[in-house]
Amino acid sequence: MKVGVLTGGGDCPGLNAVIRAIVRKAERHYQDSVIGFTDGWSGVLSGNFIPLDVNFMRGSLPRGGTVLGTSRMSPRMFEDGLDKVRATIEATKTDALIVIGGEGTLSAAASVQAAGAACVVAVPKTIDNDIALTEQTFGFDTAVSIATAAIDRLHTTAESHDRVMVVEVMGRHVGHIAIWAGIAGGATLTLIPEHPFDIEAVAATIMRRHRRGRWASIVVVAEGAIPVDGTLEMAEQAVDEFGHKKLGGIGQVIASEIEARTGFDTRVTVLGHVQRGGTPTAFDRVLCSRYGIAAIDAVHQKQWGSMVALQGGKMVTVPLADAVAEVKPVSPDLYEAARAFFA
Ligand code: F6P
């Protein structure tokens, strides 16, 4: 078979590990040829691709980023987007397209599959861990490890200066990175979009803690955290060229409010794209390798319109359309576990 691969959306540690696994099994086991479309859907729309083989992928397992490049371009942005996809797939004689991406990229993949423009198998990528029907997306473990290591470092400087440290982490409209890093890093409070915060209650918690003689506090804030309606004025969020809301900035707002309400010296750290860069953890390397193998196996089983997923520790396939129907929030029991450590 001739198999096409693309990586779309924000980059994420482990993308190369997935591509490497696909190429390895495709070439060595199935005798397929593999091409990689460059810069996400953009490569499919414009017909730009590079040949991929085991030799090309050598040394890529621990490398962050993606050898294919990525973008947030989508066929859904153009009236004739699906026709262009169909034309490239026909012109390149691509039998199957493995789409590695997050919510936006995979929603486009579901449309491509529904329109019959390509035979699609999807792989769930994102540090945000917000794709439904899989227990974990790849890249998430690495992002949590980076955020946790940062929180560990902030503890010692917070304690030395008796400061409140606000740490803003990524995650878009869900709080998976925040809640995991908050528990792992021993946060005083973790604010996530699933549970709008009341800034008065946040300040009161920190005041209570200080009265108990705990002078340093760490507040982890998900970039998508929102205040309880009517409690805090928030600035409008800008959108990027792809209509993607640019999140971030909530950490600074919360830090200023805490300082104003408590009088405690407060600093903010925005971890930003550091969470997405560099080498994947061992866990992510294994998960990526399993996802890549499962994806090429699904291609040979002609499981079109499916997404590979981790369920109960096993690799399974699920309907892609169901996986992208809604984002996966933080589970109530995990939030309750985090709450047990608040203050
Ligand atoms: O979806 C991954 C992610 O890193 C989000 O956590 C974050 O909101 C967004 O991408 C940042 O996007 P960009 O790289 O376009 O600034």
Side-chain angles (χ1 to χ4, degrees), residues 67-89:
V67 294
L68 293 177
T70 187
S71 75
R72 294 197 195 279
M73 183 74 80
S74 162
R76 302 206 290 191
M77 291 163 66
F78 308 94
E79 228 168 80
D80 60 349
L82 292 170
D83 294 336
K84 282 187 165 150
V85 171
R86 188 177 287 110
T88 298
I89 294 298

Side-chain angles (χ1 to χ4, degrees), residues 9-12 72 102-103 125-128 130 169-173 177 223 240 242 244-248 272-273 275-276:
D11 76 333
C12 171
R72 294 197 195 279
E103 192 214 335
K125 163 242 68 159
T126 168
I127 63 165
D128 304 333
D130 60 354
V169 298
M170 283 185 165
R172 294 210 67 72
H173 303 294
I177 298 176
E223 62 179 359
D240 67 15
F242 303 111
H244 198 245
K245 249 190 200 165
K246 283 189 190 167
L247 298 178
H273 292 80
Q275 294 159 98
R276 252 170 49 184

Side-chain angles (χ1 to χ4, degrees), residues 1-81:
M1 282 178 109
K2 184 163 183 190
V3 180
V5 181
L6 72 86
T7 55
D11 76 333
C12 171
L15 283 163
N16 291 325
V18 177
I19 301 169
R20 170 183 174 268
I22 292 168
V23 169
R24 172 68 67 124
K25 188 150 187 193
E27 188 178 311
R28 297 276 164 90
H29 183 85
Y30 292 116
Q31 283 81 50
D32 293 334
S33 63
V34 185
I35 57 172
F37 291 100
T38 53
D39 301 327
W41 284 111
S42 173
V44 182
L45 291 167
S46 58
N48 286 334
F49 63 89
I50 53 172
L52 293 174
D53 59 21
V54 168
N55 203 31
F56 181 83
M57 293 309 296
R58 199 154 276 137
S60 62
L61 173 63
R63 283 192 61 81
T66 162
V67 294
L68 293 177
T70 187
S71 75
R72 294 197 195 279
M73 183 74 80
S74 162
R76 302 206 290 191
M77 291 163 66
F78 308 94
E79 228 168 80
D80 60 349

